Amino acid sequence: MIPYTANNEELLNHLQVNPDKGLSSTEASKRLAEYGENKLQAKKKKSMLQRFWEQFYDVMILILILAAAISFVVACYEGEGFYEPVLILLIVVLNAILGVVQESRAEKALESLQELSAPNARVMRDGKESIIEASFLVPGDIIKLEAGDSVPADARLIHSNSLKSEESALTGESVPSEKDAAAEVAANAPLGDRFNMVYAGCSITYGNARAVITATGMNTEIGKIARLLDAANDRQTPLQHRLAVLGKYLGLLALGICAVIFIIGLIDGMKVMEIFMIAVALAVSAIPEGLPAIVTIVLAIGVQRMVKKNAIIRRLPAVETLGSASVICSDKTGTLTQNQMTLVKALADGASVLEDIGESNSAVIKKLLQYAALCCDGTVEFEDGKERHIGDPTETSIVLAAHKNHLPKDELNRLYPRLAELPFDSERKLMTTVNRIDGKYMVIVKGAFDVLAARCIAGDLEAARRFNNEMSRQALRVLAVAYKEIETLPETASSEELEKDLIFMGLLGMIDPPRPEAREAVAVCQRAGIKPVMITGDHVETASAIAKDLGIMLEGDQAITGSELANLSASELDEQVRQISVYARVSPEDKIRIVRAWQHQGEIVSMTGDGVNDAPALKAADIGCAMGITGTDVAKGAADMILTDDNFATIVDAVKEGRGIYDNIKKTVGFLLGTNVGEVLAVFMAMILWKASPFLAMQLLLINLVTDGLPAIALGLEPVESDVMERKPKPKEESIFAHGMGTRIILQGAMFALLTLIGFFMVWQSTGDIVAGRSMAFLVMALSQVIHSFNMRSSHSLFKTGIFTNRYLNGAAFISLALLALVAFLPPVAFAFGLTQLSAVMYFYALGLALVPVLVLEFSKAFGLVKHQA
C-alpha cells in the first residue's frame, strides 16, 4: 500500500491502529522486534589493518616497493648505506596512511545522517500521550507535531492545521512545503508534491498535526539516501587511472629491458653478477622512484592554494579531477541562488507598470508594504550588520522589504496593533489580521491572487490578473494584498465575516534570486567548454526561469521534471542527456541517474549541492562539491571538495587551479620520464655498443633523487598559465602522453642519451679509464637534466615566459647544482659514488653538452615542433 495515495481509513486499518489511542505497549514491542530501531544502519566497517593493506593494491605502489628492493640489493652488493630503500619505503607507508584517513569519509557521511534523526517524539501509546526516544518508534505509531519539531520518521498526516514543513534538505525547495491531511496525491507524485506526508530529517515550521508513522529507519526516505551512500563505490580519479596505466608500462619496460640485457650478456659470455648489476641499473633508471611522491607533493601544494580561494579539498586527487571536469551538475537552491526569498517586484492597484523593490519606493508601494508587513508573523532580526530571518521565508521577505523602506516591523506593530487574526490555512490559502490604523479597524488579507480576487469588490482585477501571470512566467512567487474598513471589532473572527467585500490593494512578487557572481561563473565555465546543468527539487517553471537568467539554459535546451525523467529508460536518457539543461522536482535517485548518464557519455562530472538529497549524487560524481555554510554535514561528508563561501564562482577558480595543477603534473611527468628514458637508452646503447655501462646503479639513483626530484617538485609550483580557461576539457580517456608528449619524451630521452654517450666515449677513449668516462657521463646527464627543467616550464619560449620567473625552480636548480658539485668535486664523496676528478677542459665540455637541450627545445618551439595545447 502506498501511504500517500490511500485514504486515512484504509491506511489506519492496514497499520492496525486506533488513531485516538495509538498502539499498545505490547504491540509496539512486537513491531520494534520486527522492524528494528528507528535508526540508520551502515555496513560493517573495515578494520584499520584491512584498510592499510588495501592501499598496496596499486601498480605504482608495487613499483615503488620493487624500486626499494632493487635499491636494497644494490646497497648490499656495493656495501653502501640503505638510505635509498628506507626513503622509498617511508613514502610507501605514508601513502598508505593517507589512504586510510581519506577512506573514512563515507562513514562520516552516514554518521551525519544519523545525527539528523529527532532524539525524542510525542506519541500516543496505550491511549495516552507520552514522550519517548525516537529510535523506539514503529510503523503504526500515532505522533503529534508542532512548529519547531523535527519529524522523527516518515508519516502520513491524519489531521493538520495550517501545517508547513521545511523539506529543503530532501527536495531542494527553498520555501517550506504546505501540508494538508486531506490532500489527494497521485501515485507518481515526486516527494516534494506529497502534501499529505511528512518526512524524517525535516522540521515543522508552522501549524500542528497528528500523523501515523508509515516507515522507520532505513525504510524512510532519508534511509534510502543512506543506503545509496553506503552502496556507492569510490571511483578512481582520472589522474589515478593515468598513473596506474603509466605504472604498468614502466613495470613492463623495466622487466623487458632486464630480460634483453641478460640475453645479450649471456651470449657475449659476461659474468652473471656483472650482467645482473647492469640489469639492475637499467631497472632503476626505468622507474621514476619519486614520481608518486612528487605528484602527491604537487597536489598537496595545490590544495593549500585552493584553501586561500575558499575551497577545501578532502582528497588530493580531487584537485586534478575538478580541472578535468566537463560537466558541472549544480543544485539550484543555495548554490546558484541565495537560498533567501527576496521581494523584487510590486504592483499597486491601478498602476500600469511593476515597480522594483528598493530602499525608497513610491508612496503607494510603501503603503502596500506596510499593510502586508502587518499581516505577517515572520520577523527579521539584525545583529552586527547581519540579518536573521525567523519564520516563513515568504513573510520575512516582505518584512525585510518594508524595513528597507524605513517601515520596521516592531514599529509598525507598536503604531498599528493587531487586534484579531485568522492564521494562514492551506484550504483558504489566506491570512487575515485586524489592525487599528489611524483610529480605524482595518482588515488586511494576503494570499493567493486567484482566491483573494474572488473576495474583492473593488480594484482593477483584470489588470492585476495580467500582471500576476506575467510575474508567474518570470518564476516569481506572487502574493496579493487586500483590505477593508469595519465599524466594530467582531467578538469572534471568522473567514465568512472578515474575508469578503475586500478592496484590492496590490501584488507582491518574490523569488530566491541568483547569486550575483553566478552568471559570470556560468559564462566562464561555458567558455572553458564545461557544460553547466541545473538539478533541483523546485518547480520546472521556476528552475527554467533561473537557468535562462544565468545562461545555463540556452536556445534548444530542454527542461524536464522528475516524473518525465522516470519515464525515460537508461538508454533514452543517455541519448537525450546532452540536450537537457534543467531537471526539476527530482529525487536523490534521479540525481544519480543524471550523473551516471553523463559519465556514460565519457564526461567527467562534477556535482555541487548542499542538501541531504544531494549527498548520493555528490558521492557518485567524479568530484562532489558541497557548500560549506549552508551545506548539511551529510553533503560535506560525501563530497570531495567543500566551498567555504558557498560561492558558485569559487568552482571556476577551483577548475582553473585544477587545470593548472594537471598541466604542472604533466610537466613533472614529462620531465621525469624524459630524463629516465635518456638514462635507459644511454645504458642500453652502451651495453649494445661497448658491453659496458656508463653508470653504476647508485649513480643513477643519485641522479634520480637529486637532479630529478627537486626540479620536478619546483615544476609543480609553476604559476597557472593565463589561457588555461580558454581550452576545452581533456577527454576522460585522454592519455597523459597526448598532444605529442609521448613522442617528445622519447626524442628528448634520445637526445640526453646521445649527449651522455658522446661525453662517456670521448673521455673513456682519451683517458683509457672507464671510471673517468662514467664521471663525464654522470656530469652530462645530471647537468642537462637540471638545465632541461627550465625548458619544461611551458610550451611557450623560455625567453617569453622569463628564464628565472619561477623562484622555486631557481632555488631547486641551485640546490641540485650545489649537491652535484659536492659529489663531483669532493674526493671522498666522489670516490663513494664511483666518480673521479676530470681536467678543467672536460668540465667545460660537460657544460657545453648539457646546454644543447636548451638550443634544441627553443628551436623546436620557435618552429612549431612543440605546440601549445589549445
Side-chain angles (χ1 to χ4, degrees), residues 595-634:
V595 168
R596 287 179 177 159
W598 277 109
Q599 289 171 337
H600 292 160
Q601 300 296 310
E603 305 295 345
I604 295 176
V605 184
S606 170
M607 170 74 189
T608 70
D610 59 355
V612 174
N613 60 321
D614 298 319
L618 288 173
K619 194 174 181 192
D622 295 287
I623 177 166
C625 306
M627 300 296 123
I629 298 174
T630 59
T632 60
D633 287 342
V634 183

Side-chain angles (χ1 to χ4, degrees), residues 275-333:
I275 300 171
F276 175 73
M277 288 313 301
I278 293 173
V280 164
L282 271 168
V284 169
S285 64
I287 299 172
E289 295 89 347
L291 180 58
I294 290 169
V295 168
T296 299
I297 291 169
V298 172
L299 289 172
I301 292 167
V303 165
Q304 293 305 310
R305 286 181 179 174
M306 303 270 287
V307 168
K308 295 175 183 176
K309 297 182 179 180
N310 301 311
I312 297 173
I313 303 297
R314 300 184 70 245
R315 294 196 309 135
L316 289 184
V319 185
E320 180 272 334
T321 311
L322 188 62
S324 307
S326 54
V327 177
I328 297 180
C329 296
S330 176
D331 183 43
K332 177 183 74 69
T333 305

